[in-house]
């Protein structure tokens, strides 16, 4: 996608709104504005039908049963609800939460926060240099003390795709619940919560060409009755998440997932082709780089690239406004904090702060890829000249 002079290569941060999604949402921002919980009149009923139709579509997309999707403001809220609800309801002697060492910060920070408040402990499951869970280490950490395991399906920085069915089964063998953050998954892999045997799963619309501000938490029916709501109020959404549901956003979310499903094969083949072209171009220009994470079990549009010996943040600044990508490093006025994901797969601080994530998407094309790599080459040349 090119906007003016800018080539957008940050699709794993957010995706542009698909025009078909915008069109589907328009009616619910106009005449069909009524509160979907106002069921005493026809306009409220029309909104309610739209919300329930969207819920049904999303449940079908992930293979869920009826009334197993709870709309949230996004995957961050869904992840917080999954962790908090399990901990608040815990009356057993189980007091451990296991999370992968490369979980998104909204899982990591929520797990540590709620565990500290509610008397539990958090342990991080190591990963291999590929970014995949170290199965031997994981099995050694599982015990009758484990209450909940959280592992994301597709990593947001290095794209690693985990074997969720296997990981969930191992958790269940010890009586633990299993939650999966699948925000990055729809464009990369098929999701089926019944086949995966997950107890909870989080989704986000804006990672799949839908609107910002809407996500969902899958929670299997058998679990809902035993968990408290995360947001209290009027008892909407089966009592699990109070608040007025945003009709237009729900419709947009479902539309986005339906489009993703229809185009899945074509999209994934295209992303894989563009990714390989990117890698080939870097190699042909004799750029000193390394790819981070697994290339065999990886999001087809993800490239996390270490530019050996260079400062990734300075590179991105120098490439503006032509190339829009990102790093996993956190910056403040005093220091750069290397990405915890890259550190977890064994990179040194210097390697981590030399790494940039380029994420390709639906509107990427060959010309954009070729031009972006030329900008990278020009940027590296300018840095090398400055160092002489």
């Amino acid at each position: 996608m090119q906007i003016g002079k800018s080539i957008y290569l940050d699709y794993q941060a957010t995706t542009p709104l698909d025009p078909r999604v915008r069109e589907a949402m328009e009616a619910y921002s106009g005449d069909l504005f009524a509160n979907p919980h106002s069921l005493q009149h026809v306009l409220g009923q029309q909104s309610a039908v739209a919300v329930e139709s969207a819920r049904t579509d999303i449940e079908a997309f992930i293979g869920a049963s009826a009334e197993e999707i709870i709309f949230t403001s996004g995957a961050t809220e869904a992840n917080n609800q999954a962790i908090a609800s399990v901990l608040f309801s815990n009356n057993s002697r189980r007091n451990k939460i296991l999370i992968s060492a490369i979980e998104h910060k909204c899982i990591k920070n929520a797990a540590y926060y709620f565990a500290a408040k509610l008397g539990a402990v958090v342990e991080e499951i190591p990963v291999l240099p590929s970014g995949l869970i170290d199965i031997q280490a994981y099995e050694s950490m599982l015990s009758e003390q484990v209450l909940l395991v959280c592992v994301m399906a597709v990593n947001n920085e290095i794209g690693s795709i985990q074997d969720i069915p296997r990981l969930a089964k191992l958790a269940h063998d010890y009586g633990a619940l299993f939650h999966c953050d699948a925000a990055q998954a729809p464009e990369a892999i098929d999701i089926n919560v019944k086949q995966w045997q997950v107890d909870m799963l989080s989704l986000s619309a804006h990672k799949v060409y839908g609107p910002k501000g809407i996500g969902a938490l899958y929670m299997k029916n058998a679990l809902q009755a035993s968990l408290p709501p995360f947001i209290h109020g009027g008892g909407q959404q089966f009592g699990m998440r109070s608040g007025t549901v945003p009709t237009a956003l729900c419709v947009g979310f479902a539309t986005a997932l339906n489009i993703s499903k229809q185009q899945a094969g074509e999209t994934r083949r295209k992303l894989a082709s563009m990714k390989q072209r990117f890698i080939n171009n870097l190699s042909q220009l004799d750029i000193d780089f390394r790819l981070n994470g697994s290339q065999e079990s990886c999001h087809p549009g993800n490239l996390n690239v270490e530019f050996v010996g260079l400062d990734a943040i300075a590179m991105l600044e120098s490439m503006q406004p032509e190339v829009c990508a990102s790093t996993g490093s956190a910056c403040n006025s005093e220091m750069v904090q290397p990405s915890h994901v890259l550190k977890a797969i064994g990179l040194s601080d210097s390697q981590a702060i030399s790494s940039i994530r380029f994420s390709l998407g639906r509107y990427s094309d060959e010309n954009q890829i070729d031009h972006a790599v030329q900008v990278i080459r020009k940027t590296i040349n300018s840095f090398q000249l400055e160092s002489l």
Side-chain angles (χ1 to χ4, degrees):
M1 184 175 196
Q2 184 152 357
I3 303 173
K5 294 181 179 180
S6 300
I7 297 170
Y8 187 73
L9 296 175
D10 205 17
Y11 284 83
Q12 283 188 270
T14 194
T15 53
L17 189 67
D18 190 293
R20 292 165 289 184
V21 174
R22 182 183 292 109
E23 182 180 357
M25 293 170 60
E26 282 179 357
Y28 299 95
S29 300
D31 289 345
L32 299 178
F33 64 89
N35 189 322
H37 309 293
S38 296
L39 299 178
Q40 293 81 14
H41 56 73
V42 66
L43 293 181
Q45 292 164 10
Q46 289 174 344
S47 290
V49 168
V51 168
E52 292 313 308
S53 177
R55 193 192 310 276
T56 298
D57 284 353
I58 296 169
E59 287 164 345
F61 181 86
I62 63 171
S65 300
E67 299 186 350
E68 290 188 319
I69 281 291
I70 301 161
F71 288 111
T72 66
S73 64
T76 292
E77 182 190 323
N79 289 338
N80 273 259
Q81 178 167 355
I83 293 167
S85 295
V86 169
L87 282 172
F88 275 118
S89 67
N90 183 35
N91 293 315
S92 72
R93 294 182 179 180
R94 296 176 182 267
N95 69 341
K96 286 186 180 180
I97 300 176
L98 302 184
I99 66 172
S100 85
I102 59 171
E103 288 301 295
H104 191 281
K105 288 181 180 177
C106 65
I107 285 283
K108 190 169 185 175
N109 291 344
Y112 278 105
Y113 175 80
F114 288 112
K117 291 291 184 182
L118 298 170
V121 295
V122 178
E123 295 181 358
E124 298 190 21
I125 310 163
V127 295
L128 303 170
S130 62
L132 301 179
I133 291 290
D134 183 332
I135 293 293
Q136 186 174 359
Y138 177 48
E139 290 181 315
S140 72
M141 296 170 73
L142 287 167
S143 71
E144 302 296 331
Q145 297 300 312
V146 176
L147 174 66
L148 175 67
V149 177
C150 298
V151 180
M152 66 196 315
V154 180
N155 186 263
N156 57 301
E157 288 192 38
I158 58 174
S160 301
I161 299 174
Q162 305 291 347
D163 185 349
I164 296 299
R166 182 182 184 187
L167 299 174
K169 181 182 184 305
L170 287 169
H172 291 155
D173 287 345
Y174 285 86
L177 295 172
F178 192 95
H179 167 260
C180 177
D181 177 350
Q184 298 285 350
E187 291 292 282
I189 56 175
D190 295 338
I191 302 170
N192 189 301
V193 293
K194 302 303 183 186
Q195 291 177 4
W196 288 10
Q197 290 294 296
V198 295
D199 301 293
M200 295 174 287
L201 180 140
S202 301
L203 295 167
S204 175
H206 79 99
K207 305 295 188 184
V208 66
Y209 306 89
K212 295 179 179 66
I214 183 76
L217 175 63
Y218 158 77
M219 184 182 293
K220 66 181 184 181
N221 283 325
L223 189 59
Q224 286 186 28
S226 63
L227 298 185
F230 185 57
I231 295 178
H232 299 264
Q236 292 91 342
Q237 298 202 80
F238 332 119
M240 294 305 299
R241 198 274 193 181
S242 292
T244 301
V245 174
T247 308
L249 297 183
C250 295
V251 170
F253 190 6
T255 303
L257 288 176
N258 287 336
I259 293 169
S260 177
K261 185 175 184 178
Q262 293 163 9
Q263 300 181 178
E266 176 187 351
T267 296
R268 292 167 194 170
R269 285 190 295 272
K270 176 187 173 182
L271 291 178
S273 175
M274 293 295 100
K275 176 177 177 176
Q276 191 58 53
R277 186 181 186 92
F278 198 115
I279 295 168
N280 291 345
N281 285 357
L282 289 175
S283 299
Q284 289 166 8
L285 291 176
D286 198 29
I287 293 172
D288 191 4
F289 74 97
R290 300 186 187 116
L291 298 176
N292 296 322
S294 170
Q295 300 310 304
E296 289 71 42
S297 184
C298 184
H299 188 301
N302 172 280
L303 294 102
N304 196 294
V305 185
E306 178 198 348
F307 294 98
V308 179
L310 298 177
D311 184 326
I313 293 173
M315 282 186 65
L316 286 175
E317 290 175 351
S318 182
M319 289 191 288
Q320 297 311 302
E322 293 179 273
V323 175
C324 299
S326 62
T327 74
S329 301
C331 304
N332 57 40
S333 59
E334 298 177 355
M335 62 180 294
V336 175
Q337 296 178 325
S339 158
H340 74 281
V341 172
L342 298 181
K343 292 283 288 178
I345 63 172
L347 271 64
S348 66
D349 286 359
S350 62
Q351 290 174 314
I353 62 176
S354 295
S355 298
I356 297 176
R357 179 191 67 184
F358 301 96
S359 45
L360 317 179
R362 189 175 293 172
Y363 305 113
S364 299
D365 63 32
E366 292 182 352
N367 290 334
Q368 293 168 29
I369 298 302
D370 295 347
H371 184 62
V373 175
Q374 289 297 331
V375 173
I376 293 168
R377 173 73 272 180
K378 182 176 67 175
T379 299
I380 293 173
N381 285 345
S382 69
F383 283 7
Q384 290 172 340
L385 288 172
E386 289 172 5
S387 66
L388 293 178

